[in-house]
Amino acid sequence: MKIAWSGVAGVLLLLVGLQAGAAAPQLEMEEFRVASSDPGLTLYVRNKHPKGMTGFAGERIVLFVHGSTYPAETSFDLALGGLSWMDYIARQGYDVYLVDVRGYGKSSRPAAMAEPPANNEPIVRTETAMLDVGAAVDFIRQRRHVEKINLLGWSWGTTIMGWYTGQHNDKVNKLVLYAPRWLAGSASIMDNGGKLGAYRTVTRDKARARWLSGVPQAQQAALLPAAWFEAWADATFASDPEGQRQNPPVLRAPNGTVQDTREFWTAGKPMYDPGTIRVPTLLVHADWDIELPNAMLYSYFDKLASTPYRRMVQIGEGTHSVMMEKNRMQLFEAVQHFLDEKFTPGQ
């Protein structure tokens, strides 16, 4: 596989807070551009690991992939309260990566995103996103000389990672699916109906309203502190310079995932069979998630018939974005326990 390196955008040393009364390790951040399967399109990959460490077993390597609207770096590596999820895992001695698939964040934007959305059909379908994840997985495997790594997907990323794992169990150690998608009885809240263009746009106000849908009014302020939302929104909308030039500023997101939802999930047609997944799998969900509600969690869990073991965790008082809310440490700790454990069924 061809790997395109940007000049590594410098090594950033991070000193994060205290853990268990001892100074946390310094973290190094490195950034790469990895060639996609299509000429001229490259993928942004970020890495964090303890300073000075260069050798990691595959069991200590994690790759994140984002959902259908927002980029990976503002989802998994935004320091809220001085700590991001990426920091949290890296502080445990892990080699942690994230990838933006094409059309998102710092990865290349397909040419259709430079035109009015109505000029083209929906872009970046799930099968294309899987190719991008595969490029990132192979880059990491080659870089660290390992056969398998751990995969973690959120929302649409659970479809990408679940489907990819079913096809490449030999490259995956453990699989974490946070807010798993399965068959739906109604249209996605991202789908406004009508003909879909290449991409859609999201405003800051719509992003906040979507985030807090289904949360009791009296609990919204405590669940999502205003300063946290503003920090996330500032970083997220800044990831799309072209969208920032519009009035009001918007974030552009490819519509391939919305088209997939229409053709498969809301039409009662699975995109893939979770029964093909043959690695230990953890499902995590929050009970106020109206985007991918509880029924999907339970249905998906039942389909995991071939894993060595499977587990699900339900978090109270959390939305689709619980990783950036007051109860996020429940998510972090549940996932970390799963990654750390040496568990053999029957023993």
Side-chain angles (χ1 to χ4, degrees):
M1 178 190 121
K2 180 181 176 183
I3 297 174
W5 300 75
S6 66
V8 173
V11 176
L12 174 66
L13 301 183
L14 297 171
L15 180 58
V16 290
L18 300 180
Q19 180 184 27
Q26 286 187 318
L27 303 181
E28 293 181 2
M29 185 179 86
E30 299 177 82
E31 297 174 295
F32 308 94
R33 298 206 72 85
V34 175
S36 75
S37 57
D38 292 334
L41 294 179
T42 60
L43 310 172
Y44 174 73
V45 174
R46 179 180 294 183
N47 171 227
K48 282 187 172 179
H49 58 268
K51 180 183 177 183
M53 291 184 66
T54 57
F56 296 87
E59 294 82 2
R60 308 285 288 184
I61 301 174
V62 179
L63 172 65
F64 284 100
V65 74
H66 52 83
S68 61
T69 307
Y70 307 121
E73 58 269 24
T74 69
S75 300
F76 308 118
D77 198 28
L78 181 66
L80 299 172
L83 182 71
S84 73
W85 194 359
M86 206 174 181
D87 290 339
Y88 180 86
I89 297 177
R91 282 169 54 173
Q92 319 306 315
Y94 279 71
D95 193 32
V96 190
Y97 296 80
L98 58 76
V99 60
D100 286 330
V101 304
R102 68 188 70 184
Y104 293 84
K106 296 180 180 178
S107 288
S108 296
R109 310 274 177 174
M113 294 187 77
E115 301 179 22
N119 287 8
N120 294 279
E121 295 299 311
I123 58 170
V124 193
R125 304 288 292 263
T126 303
E127 287 188 277
T128 300
M130 276 205 305
L131 294 175
D132 290 348
V133 163
V137 169
D138 288 342
F139 162 70
I140 296 164
R141 292 171 59 243
Q142 290 179 23
R143 182 180 190 230
R144 296 306 193 194
H145 308 290
V146 298
E147 292 299 315
K148 299 181 179 183
I149 65 173
N150 301 302
L151 301 184
L152 196 160
W154 171 43
S155 191
W156 178 46
T158 67
T159 302
I160 300 168
M161 293 303 209
W163 197 357
Y164 176 86
T165 299
Q167 295 182 3
H168 301 282
N169 284 280
D170 58 323
K171 297 181 181 181
V172 182
N173 178 50
K174 291 179 180 179
L175 175 65
V176 178
L177 303 179
Y178 155 39
R181 170 174 283 285
W182 195 240
L183 301 181
S186 60
S188 166
I189 66 173
M190 295 182 300
D191 191 347
N192 295 320
K195 180 175 173 56
L196 294 172
Y199 59 92
R200 63 195 184 281
T201 59
V202 180
T203 65
R204 200 177 183 109
D205 288 344
K206 287 183 178 179
R208 189 177 190 282
R210 173 184 167 190
W211 189 326
L212 294 173
S213 295
V215 179
Q217 183 69 36
Q219 300 193 50
Q220 290 184 6
L223 180 78
L224 177 60
W228 284 19
F229 174 79
E230 295 302 327
W232 170 83
D234 287 348
T236 298
F237 281 75
S239 72
D240 183 6
E242 178 61 33
Q244 284 291 90
R245 287 192 280 270
Q246 298 188 31
N247 186 20
V250 300
L251 178 79
R252 297 169 301 157
N255 261 338
T257 178
V258 182
Q259 186 65 40
D260 283 340
T261 297
R262 287 185 177 185
E263 293 182 14
F264 293 93
W265 302 118
T266 57
K269 300 175 183 178
M271 294 194 76
Y272 69 103
D273 177 11
T276 60
I277 296 170
R278 299 192 305 275
V279 304
T281 302
L282 172 67
L283 308 184
V284 190
H285 189 265
D287 65 349
W288 286 338
D289 186 344
I290 67 167
E291 296 195 35
L292 303 177
N294 295 333
M296 291 188 186
L297 171 73
Y298 306 134
S299 295
Y300 195 98
F301 187 81
D302 289 342
K303 302 293 182 184
L304 292 170
S306 303
T307 62
Y309 61 95
R310 55 186 171 152
R311 186 175 306 151
M312 64 171 138
V313 174
Q314 177 77 292
I315 298 171
E317 296 189 6
T319 75
H320 194 63
S321 301
V322 68
M323 64 188 168
M324 293 179 283
E325 298 170 355
K326 70 171 186 177
N327 287 327
R328 64 187 185 136
M329 294 308 298
Q330 294 184 41
L331 170 66
F332 294 2
E333 290 172 3
V335 170
Q336 196 64 47
H337 174 77
F338 176 73
L339 294 174
D340 288 345
E341 70 182 353
K342 309 295 184 189
F343 175 70
T344 302
Q347 293 185 0

